[in-house]
Amino acid sequence: GLFALVFVQLILGALMRHMKDPLEPVNPLAIPDFPLMFGGLVPPLDDVHVAVHFFHRVGALLILLLALLLFAQVRRRHGGLRALGRAATCLLALVLAQVSLGAAVIWTAKDWVP
């Protein structure tokens, strides 16, 4: 489940990267704020660019929740297996790093630093 969701997330990310909004040549972000979206929890989904960005964010949240759940289950059920615990910790750290990078891209309006 988690890996299939990551695959779908990669596709949504590629769509976001290559979709151009001709109405927004200056600000390349379809949803310019984070963690809220246009000041709310759900943006208006009448634009395809906004919808793709929204579902990419929903996917990121689901991946983060599933990674946290997997981490907790590994720690609870297999706490004695150090290699498995390290792998779960690494997975969670990588997901958190990716979410942080995504937030930084939004907060800096796609500056080159993040």
Side-chain angles (χ1 to χ4, degrees):
L2 175 60
F3 294 107
L5 188 56
V6 169
F7 182 73
V8 170
Q9 186 72 350
L10 287 170
I11 292 170
L12 286 172
L15 275 173
M16 283 177 33
R17 169 70 178 91
H18 295 289
M19 288 175 72
K20 303 288 185 216
D21 188 354
L23 301 177
E24 287 291 337
V26 176
N27 184 1
L29 296 170
I31 303 173
D33 53 339
F34 180 83
L36 296 177
M37 294 161 277
F38 298 107
L41 293 177
V42 178
L45 298 174
D46 54 349
D47 180 85
V48 67
H49 299 93
V50 172
V52 170
H53 279 245
F54 173 69
F55 288 114
H56 186 71
R57 289 188 187 191
V58 169
L61 179 61
L62 290 174
I63 289 169
L64 178 60
L65 292 174
L66 287 174
L68 282 167
L69 180 64
L70 179 63
F71 175 80
Q73 285 181 346
V74 166
R75 290 294 178 167
R76 186 171 15 101
R77 293 182 185 175
H78 307 288
L81 297 173
R82 296 182 73 195
L84 191 57
R86 276 185 260 143
T89 301
C90 184
L91 172 69
L92 182 58
L94 288 171
V95 169
L96 287 171
Q98 187 63 41
V99 169
S100 298
L101 284 171
V105 165
I106 296 165
W107 290 330
T108 64
K110 290 182 93 171
D111 192 21
W112 65 272
V113 173

